Amino acid sequence: MLIVVALGGNALLRRGEPMTAENQRANIKRAASALAELIGEGHSVVVTHGNGPQVGLLALQAAANPGDGAFPLDVLGAESAGMIGYVIEQELGNLLKRRLFATLLTQVTVDPHDPAFVHPTKPIGPVYDEATAHRLANERGWQIAPDGDKWRRVVPSPKPLVILEASVISFLVERGVIVICTGGGGVPVIARDDGSFCGVEAVIDKDLASSLLARELKADMLLMLTDVDAVYADYGTAAARALRSVSPKELSGRTFPAGSMGPKVSAAIEFIEATGKSAAIGKLDNALEIVRGQRGTWFEASALFPQKPWATGTTPRT
């Protein structure tokens, strides 16, 4: 199968960890091992990844030296995508020495009138306690929001519309290249009246961009890997339960956190409703078992695809 694998920012940098180069490389090495298992099973993969912690750190570093001029978020997003893609490519190459790799900076168009520019929801940067977050928001003009029991800066996250490099990615995939792209959801750009493009201050949600990419590549599956084992109904309550196999209809009326699981669920639904194929969400370490149907949450358009991928093999774990 051709699988678009989206690595969550929290899968690359665990919650509460310092954002050091050593920690990020250690986590990317773990991610590379999971990806190598998928490739070893004969799957073709296109790798996307988050950048929320990293782009936020770059923004903080830029703000610490105001005399040098602050770089806009689109430029910082490109910088973080190159940084993370480089390490992913290197660690995968260390495991799969006879394969070809390419890390590609990816521009993604957005609507300049998207309501997300008025209502920021995308968390970036480190987490803070509530008092510190409010102090920094007042000092720096940030907008902030809760993230679990902590707080983070939030920025606009407009809907991705077109991936400008999709044809280049497809060209490489057809020739057996493992492509790392759409880092951090891609670099957000808008089209001018003359047909040229320019960057815009935003961070695109990586999962929604990955869903768009999977559709444009005609992928067989969208796999979103994070630091939780499944999507949970009533998460954070005594009634919490893991959802193992669901359809969009079954999720009607349910809500999920906008800054974390919500975009993943939306991305899965967009992909399966457009293609009739399957999407899944689960823990990074369980990647191969998720694809085999043994773990994670599977999303299927049941009316179109009633046959479970594990119907002829192993039984899903409950």
Side-chain angles (χ1 to χ4, degrees), residues 3 6 35 38 48 100 116 143 163 167 173 182 189 191 217 248 268 302 312:
I3 306 173
L35 292 170
L38 289 177
T48 70
L100 298 174
Q143 291 185 273
I163 295 175
S167 61
V173 170
T182 324
V189 299
L217 295 180
S302 55
T312 58

Side-chain angles (χ1 to χ4, degrees), residues 49-176:
H49 59 82
N51 72 340
Q54 293 83 3
V55 75
L57 177 60
L58 291 174
L60 283 173
Q61 291 172 341
N65 296 286
D68 296 335
F71 286 98
L73 278 175
D74 59 304
V75 175
L76 297 179
E79 184 179 348
S80 65
M83 174 180 68
I84 297 168
Y86 153 67
V87 183
I88 293 174
E89 180 175 336
Q90 189 172 78
E91 291 298 339
L92 265 177
N94 289 339
L95 295 172
L96 304 169
K97 294 182 172 58
R98 293 183 176 85
R99 300 301 299 264
L100 298 174
F101 302 90
T103 298
L104 187 67
L105 288 179
T106 315
Q107 300 174 90
V108 181
T109 64
V110 300
D111 183 349
H113 304 295
D114 191 303
F117 288 106
V118 180
H119 302 288
T121 60
K122 179 66 175 174
I124 66 169
V127 296
Y128 303 98
D129 61 73
E130 185 173 358
T132 301
H134 280 284
R135 176 178 59 79
L136 290 171
N138 290 331
E139 291 175 356
R140 300 178 179 181
W142 289 356
Q143 291 185 273
I144 57 173
D147 183 8
D149 61 348
K150 300 291 185 179
W151 288 69
R152 291 175 78 184
R153 178 188 178 189
V154 290
V155 299
S157 183
K159 183 178 180 179
L161 300 178
V162 178
I163 295 175
L164 296 184
E165 286 79 16
S167 61
V168 178
I169 298 166
S170 181
F171 177 88
L172 293 169
V173 170
E174 288 171 1
R175 284 152 183 78

Side-chain angles (χ1 to χ4, degrees), residues 248-272:
K249 184 177 180 180
E250 291 170 310
L251 291 175
S252 178
R254 294 189 183 275
T255 58
F256 299 90
S260 56
M261 193 57 73
K264 290 178 171 55
V265 172
S266 296
I269 290 173
E270 281 188 359
F271 178 70
I272 64 173

